[in-house]
Amino acid sequence: MKHISHKISGVPYGKSKTRGDIEAPKKWTQSVIDQTKHLPKVTEACILRVTFLLPPNKFPKDLPYGPDLDNLMKRFSDALNQTIFSNTEGKDSCVVEMSVMKTMVDSEFESGALLEVLPIKIK
């Protein structure tokens, strides 16, 4: 497996929404699938690094640090299970180390996720 480094464009979402654009989380999932389906398949243990690039509206006054990372990662890794992890036994369980962060960007145009996958040998 090769090292993967790729930017996925779109507004990241975690949980489903009950108001506003309730289709937005599904659109994000589909964006992740569409933008990673051409990437190499993971075939061994790996290190996963993800940086979520969030627009300012993801940091409201009642949530000044933005959405929960675990919720963002759950939707993101489930989408990757359909693409880069699809041929791996156990899907995303091949991830043996993970680094995840979020940061604010200036606009929705710049939002998305930076994905990096580094293969490692554990045997």
Side-chain angles (χ1 to χ4, degrees):
M1 183 189 95
K2 296 168 66 174
H3 169 264
I4 298 171
S5 182
H6 188 72
K7 181 184 180 200
I8 299 153
S9 297
V11 178
Y13 281 88
K15 294 181 178 181
S16 297
K17 293 175 54 103
T18 57
R19 57 186 180 176
D21 185 359
I22 60 173
E23 294 299 312
K26 290 179 185 176
K27 290 176 190 173
W28 169 242
T29 298
Q30 193 59 53
S31 290
V32 174
I33 293 167
D34 291 345
Q35 294 177 57
T36 61
K37 63 185 174 187
H38 70 282
L39 295 175
K41 303 288 187 196
V42 174
T43 58
E44 57 194 299
C46 65
I47 296 170
L48 180 66
R49 294 185 184 146
V50 180
T51 301
F52 290 103
L53 308 170
L54 303 171
N57 66 356
K58 290 290 198 167
F59 297 85
K61 288 185 181 187
D62 64 333
L63 208 59
Y65 300 107
D68 295 353
L69 281 175
D70 59 331
N71 294 332
L72 290 169
M73 263 319 292
K74 176 65 176 146
R75 181 172 290 278
F76 191 72
S77 62
D78 286 351
L80 293 179
N81 279 338
Q82 297 182 52
T83 60
I84 65 170
F85 296 136
S86 64
N87 292 346
T88 309
E89 188 175 347
K91 308 280 187 211
D92 61 0
S93 70
C94 65
V95 176
V96 298
E97 182 180 325
M98 187 181 333
S99 172
V100 183
M101 67 175 283
K102 59 189 171 188
T103 188
M104 187 187 304
V105 293
D106 291 332
S107 68
E108 285 191 14
F109 177 76
E110 298 173 78
S111 64
L114 301 176
L115 169 68
E116 188 173 20
V117 182
L118 300 123
I120 61 168
K121 301 278 186 206
I122 60 170
K123 292 181 182 183

